[in-house]
């Protein structure tokens, strides 16, 4: 689960040179959310995506290092936004007009993996924010903002209409929310400067905005983001030769841990089940004794 959450929360960066394939992938039950994109060249070729052909020093001097395409973000949104994975060949024709012919370019993409289903909650400054999930589900924080956004918040309007629309955000809000609520069924925190610090000027009312999802698959394995999953004959044969006793013991251990977790979370219900089981056992024993005595008498 920690590996799955780390993949959902992290910011991914991928790049590909002209003539190479760029491949974006996200874990199960998440989709690609493009944050930013760049296509062109702003550094010399000896630092990133060197030319495939030998260049003289004079040619390198003439290389255009202030070259960019304004349509790269929209193209990435069209190709990859809200998809589980996407892959395409990078070249200048893909982005329209070539801004610097003769100069080798590259594509840089920044993206996140957004859960398919998520919730959003807002708490005004000094109010308590409560997050909760149903039984057998835990909280997975996707984003957290404490401060003031440019558009403001409908739930927490400005108390002083004369204050300018200033954007200010805490740099540690996401880390704090992960620490408080990560992997828990419920949690609560005050939207206060005592918890998050004060990222704004005095007099600016702040709010806490948290986007999260409830996940019930704590055993999801991390996904290799660098290559698509592949099954080889050696891996399949080794997995088929795994001892049966090991899997049986792991299943028994998982059942024991699940039973212990249920008892600790529901002591009254566990006691009721125990007493009911004892009573049923006594009734069955009494019936067996009555049948035995009656059979002997007959």
């Amino acid at each position: 689960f920690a590996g799955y959450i780390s993949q959902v929360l992290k910011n991914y960066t991928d790049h590909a040179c002209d003539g190479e394939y760029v491949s974006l992938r996200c874990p199960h039950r998440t989709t690609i959310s493009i944050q930013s994109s760049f296509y062109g060249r702003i550094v010399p070729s000896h630092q990133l995506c060197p030319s495939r052909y030998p260049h003289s020093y004079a040619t390198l001097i003439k290389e255009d290092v202030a070259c960019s395409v304004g349509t790269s973000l929209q193209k990435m949104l069209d190709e990859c936004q809200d998809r589980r994975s996407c892959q395409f060949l990078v070249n200048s024709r893909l982005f329209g007009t070539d801004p610097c012919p003769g100069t080798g370019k590259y594509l840089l993409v920044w993206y996140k993996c957004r859960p398919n289903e998520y919730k959003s909650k807002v708490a005004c400054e000094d109010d308590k924010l409560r997050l909760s999930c149903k039984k057998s589900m835990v909280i997975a924080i996707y984003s957290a903002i404490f401060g003031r956004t440019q558009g403001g918040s409908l739930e927490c309007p400005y108390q002083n209409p004369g204050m300018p629309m200033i954007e200010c955000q805490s740099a540690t809000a996401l880390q704090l929310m992960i620490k408080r609520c990560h992997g828990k069924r419920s949690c609560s925190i005050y939207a206060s400067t005592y918890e998050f610090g004060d990222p704004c000027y005095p007099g600016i009312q702040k709010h806490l905005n948290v986007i999260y999802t409830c996940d019930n698959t704590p055993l999801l394995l991390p996904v290799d983001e660098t290559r698509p999953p592949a099954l080889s004959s050696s891996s399949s044969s080794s997995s088929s030769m795994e001892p049966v006793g090991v899997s049986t013991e792991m299943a028994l251990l998982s059942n024991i841990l699940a039973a212990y977790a249920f008892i600790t979370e529901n002591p009254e219900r566990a006691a009721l089940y125990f007493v009911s089981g004892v009573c049923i056992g006594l009734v069955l024993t009494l019936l067996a004794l009555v049948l035995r005595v009656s059979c002997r008498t007959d």
Side-chain angles (χ1 to χ4, degrees):
F1 181 69
Y4 172 76
I5 290 300
S6 66
Q7 290 186 9
V8 173
L9 295 177
K10 70 183 291 188
N11 293 309
Y12 293 96
T13 303
D14 203 351
H15 82 281
C17 309
D18 276 341
E20 296 179 350
Y21 281 92
V22 64
S23 180
L24 311 184
R25 295 183 64 245
C26 280
H28 179 58
R29 293 203 302 174
T30 64
T31 54
I32 297 171
S33 176
I34 301 295
Q35 305 295 305
S36 183
S37 175
F38 169 83
Y39 178 73
R41 178 169 291 279
I42 55 175
V43 295
S45 58
H46 67 274
Q47 295 183 8
L48 182 62
C49 293
S51 175
R52 299 178 181 179
Y53 306 100
H55 283 71
S56 64
Y57 181 77
T59 306
L60 291 175
I61 291 297
K62 298 177 182 178
E63 187 177 46
D64 191 350
V65 292
C67 164
S68 63
V69 175
T71 59
S72 62
L73 177 59
Q74 186 59 48
K75 185 60 179 178
M76 290 303 303
L77 292 173
D78 295 340
E79 295 287 339
C80 301
Q81 184 74 357
D82 296 330
R83 297 184 180 181
R84 171 88 188 280
S85 63
C86 68
Q87 182 178 3
F88 56 88
L89 183 66
V90 176
N91 57 65
S92 58
R93 294 187 299 274
L94 186 69
F95 299 95
T97 307
D98 191 344
C100 45
T103 298
K105 294 167 281 295
Y106 52 85
L107 174 67
L108 290 173
V109 184
W110 295 267
Y111 69 100
K112 294 185 69 173
C113 293
R114 180 174 55 195
N116 294 339
E117 297 179 0
Y118 54 89
K119 306 175 183 179
S120 177
K121 276 199 172 183
V122 177
C124 303
E125 188 173 1
D126 295 329
D127 290 343
K128 180 183 284 189
L129 179 72
R130 294 182 176 88
L131 306 180
S132 62
C133 293
K134 298 179 181 179
K135 289 185 177 180
S136 74
M137 305 185 79
V138 292
I139 298 171
I141 303 294
Y142 178 66
S143 68
I145 296 175
F146 178 75
R148 198 76 201 184
T149 56
Q150 190 68 33
S153 172
L154 296 177
E155 296 87 347
C156 308
Y158 276 109
Q159 291 181 344
N160 186 357
M163 289 292 294
M165 299 289 287
I166 299 176
E167 182 172 351
C168 48
Q169 298 179 15
S170 170
T172 60
L174 178 58
Q175 289 81 359
L176 182 58
M177 289 303 303
I178 294 173
K179 183 178 179 181
R180 290 290 186 88
C181 303
H182 166 68
K184 298 180 180 179
R185 276 186 53 199
S186 62
C187 67
S188 60
I189 188 171
Y190 279 97
S192 65
T193 55
Y194 176 79
E195 296 281 1
F196 297 93
D198 195 347
C200 306
Y201 289 106
I204 297 180
Q205 187 191 19
K206 296 161 282 293
H207 63 269
L208 175 62
N209 185 6
V210 178
I211 298 177
Y212 70 102
T213 183
C214 293
D215 201 286
N216 60 354
T217 53
L219 297 180
L220 277 175
L221 297 178
V223 178
D224 185 1
E225 297 297 328
T226 59
R227 65 188 67 182
L231 294 176
S232 61
S233 58
S234 59
S235 61
S236 60
S237 61
S238 61
S239 61
S240 62
M241 294 175 64
E242 182 181 0
V244 179
V246 175
S247 59
T248 305
E249 291 177 0
M250 292 302 296
L252 178 61
L253 180 60
S254 300
N255 292 335
I256 294 174
L257 292 176
Y260 176 75
F262 176 79
I263 293 173
T264 54
E265 291 184 2
N266 306 275
E268 296 86 359
R269 187 177 295 181
L272 177 62
Y273 290 162
F274 176 76
V275 173
S276 301
V278 171
C279 294
I280 293 173
L282 291 175
V283 171
L284 293 176
T285 303
L286 181 60
L287 290 175
L289 290 175
V290 170
L291 289 175
R292 184 177 181 181
V293 170
S294 61
C295 289
R296 282 187 177 182
T297 302
D298 294 339

